[in-house]
Amino acid sequence: MPLLARSVQTPLHIDVRRGAVADLGRILADGRISAGGDVAVVVGPGQGERIAEMIRPSLGSADVYTTTGGTLDAALELAAKLRSRSYDAVVGIGGGKTVDAAKYAANRWGMPMVSVATSLANDGIASPVASLINDGVKGSYGVHIPYAVIVDLDFVENGPDRVNRAGIGDVISNISALADWDLGREVRGEPVDGLAASLSRVGAEAILNMPGDMQDDVFVTILAEALISSGLAMAVCGSSRPCSGGCHEIIHATDTLFPGTASHGELAGLGALFCTFLRGDERRFAQMSDCLVRHSLPRTAADVGLTREQLAEVVDFAPRTRPDRYTILEHLAMSPDEIRRKLADYDDAVAAR
């Protein structure tokens, strides 16, 4: 993954609550985001279009663009449209694909970007990364962190439950990513940014043992704030290291070998649990496994529709997705036969819980 622009700048405005979208017009009136009120609103299919219509009276001369998102081509097409007029800012409203396309397009022309998330599937709502598919392969592109992040719990509540629960897997995977970062420090002398690590860890620890579920406003608020903190951690560090280790190598390998298997957050939780098992950290394994069960998230290959042999292929391929990154997978350097044996032991350990 390319090095991100290191920045300690945090969003000018973070708002996580019910009714937050209603204040979007006031937020955009902040001279630091839009001097003249000329903004481009980017929406995806579904809730994004409904929100845009709801807030249109407060957006003044804003233009609304619809994007399918998800691919580099869609983001480049959107960027070309944004050149049709001189905009002060770009507002991305919708799920991760829409927000990532808006982030990339805005970054291309140096425009401030406001993220309005309608789901909590992953930490992309506030990260300096746009995940986009190019030639069938999902890649990570460094962008500027959003200038403002808005999460309206009313719209999150109306979104697909499975999509929102996936964000839990992405958050708790930070625990595994940080363990990999510490391993890199011990073995390769890799520097660890303490502030970035703290921002990554605080939300993950909160979600790991917190009671409640996606029907609980307090829990959903903490989850949203944890995802935002993950984005800030990456911005402070200048790379995705605080939130991406062997767990995310497994995600990228799965997306490459078996595309469409499961969502980013679902695979993050599974990958983090397996990497934690490989470390032999029984306490963390128990905590993480219990959290995934509590929120009905996958833990095994079968849970995401893969065979054990297919997951073994994924684990074998995973280090090639981030050749510059040192994780437990690189450290153990397992042969295919060793991976199969470890996965069999892992399945036994999961079943025992």
Side-chain angles (χ1 to χ4, degrees):
M1 174 179 178
L3 190 68
L4 307 179
R6 179 183 173 93
S7 172
V8 296
Q9 178 178 343
T10 59
L12 300 173
H13 184 92
I14 297 175
D15 199 355
V16 181
R17 61 184 171 85
R18 291 187 180 276
V21 165
D23 288 334
L24 183 57
R26 177 180 59 80
I27 294 164
L28 293 175
D30 186 322
R32 294 171 294 177
I33 295 177
S34 173
D38 291 328
V39 299
V41 177
V42 179
V43 300
Q47 289 201 95
E49 294 174 334
R50 186 158 63 91
I51 294 172
E53 286 304 313
M54 184 185 81
I55 63 176
R56 189 182 290 273
S58 66
L59 294 181
S61 57
D63 291 329
V64 178
Y65 297 96
T66 300
T67 179
T68 54
T71 67
L72 181 60
D73 285 343
L76 289 171
E77 181 182 343
L78 174 62
K81 292 177 180 177
L82 295 181
R83 291 289 286 172
S84 65
R85 180 176 159 192
S86 180
Y87 293 109
D88 294 328
V90 177
V91 182
I93 304 176
K97 292 179 180 179
T98 302
V99 169
D100 278 355
K103 281 195 293 186
Y104 184 90
N107 189 80
R108 193 165 180 82
W109 308 123
M111 298 177 187
M113 187 270 179
V114 176
S115 173
V116 183
T118 59
S119 69
L120 300 177
N122 55 62
D123 57 23
I125 59 176
S127 75
V129 178
S131 295
L132 300 166
I133 296 171
N134 183 30
D135 292 332
V137 178
K138 183 175 288 187
S140 300
Y141 300 86
V143 297
H144 198 286
I145 194 168
Y147 274 53
V149 181
I150 300 170
V151 180
D152 193 318
L153 302 187
D154 290 321
F155 292 99
V156 170
E157 182 181 76
N158 291 326
D161 181 60
R162 179 182 174 185
V163 171
N164 288 320
R165 279 189 286 111
I168 297 168
D170 204 18
V171 165
I172 67 170
S173 75
N174 289 4
I175 299 293
S176 179
L178 290 170
D180 280 336
W181 202 6
D182 198 46
L183 181 64
R185 178 188 60 79
E186 292 177 1
V187 176
R188 300 200 309 184
E190 184 177 342
V192 172
D193 187 309
L195 175 57
S198 295
L199 285 167
S200 172
R201 188 182 304 280
V202 65
E205 295 285 4
I207 291 297
L208 197 59
N209 296 298
M210 185 177 179
D213 54 28
M214 296 306 297
Q215 281 68 54
D216 178 355
D217 276 10
V218 174
F219 180 87
V220 177
T221 299
I222 296 298
L223 175 59
E225 291 174 347
L227 292 169
I228 293 169
S229 286
S230 293
L232 298 184
M234 289 184 264
V236 167
C237 175
S239 86
S240 63
R241 193 58 156 133
C243 309
S244 173
C247 49
H248 279 58
E249 290 181 338
I250 288 173
I251 295 172
H252 299 308
T254 305
D255 287 341
T256 300
L257 298 177
F258 305 104
T261 295
S263 71
H264 178 99
E266 289 173 328
L267 292 172
L270 191 166
L273 187 64
F274 179 62
C275 288
T276 302
F277 171 79
L278 292 178
R279 290 187 201 92
D281 190 337
E282 295 181 3
R283 181 180 69 88
R284 283 297 195 193
F285 180 82
Q287 287 179 323
M288 204 172 289
S289 180
D290 290 349
C291 180
L292 294 175
V293 169
R294 194 161 59 246
H295 296 290
S296 302
L297 288 166
R299 297 184 296 164
T300 67
D303 291 341
V304 293
L306 295 178
T307 65
R308 186 187 294 169
E309 184 62 32
Q310 287 174 321
L311 186 55
E313 289 181 51
V314 165
V315 174
D316 184 47
F317 185 80
R320 281 174 265 177
T321 67
R322 291 290 182 271
D324 62 328
R325 191 146 293 183
Y326 194 82
T327 78
I328 190 64
L329 299 180
E330 287 79 7
H331 185 68
L332 295 178
M334 297 177 288
S335 69
D337 284 342
E338 288 173 325
I339 292 172
R340 293 186 190 97
R341 287 195 292 272
K342 285 292 186 182
L343 281 172
D345 292 341
Y346 168 77
D347 284 345
D348 289 342
V350 169
R353 293 212 55 85

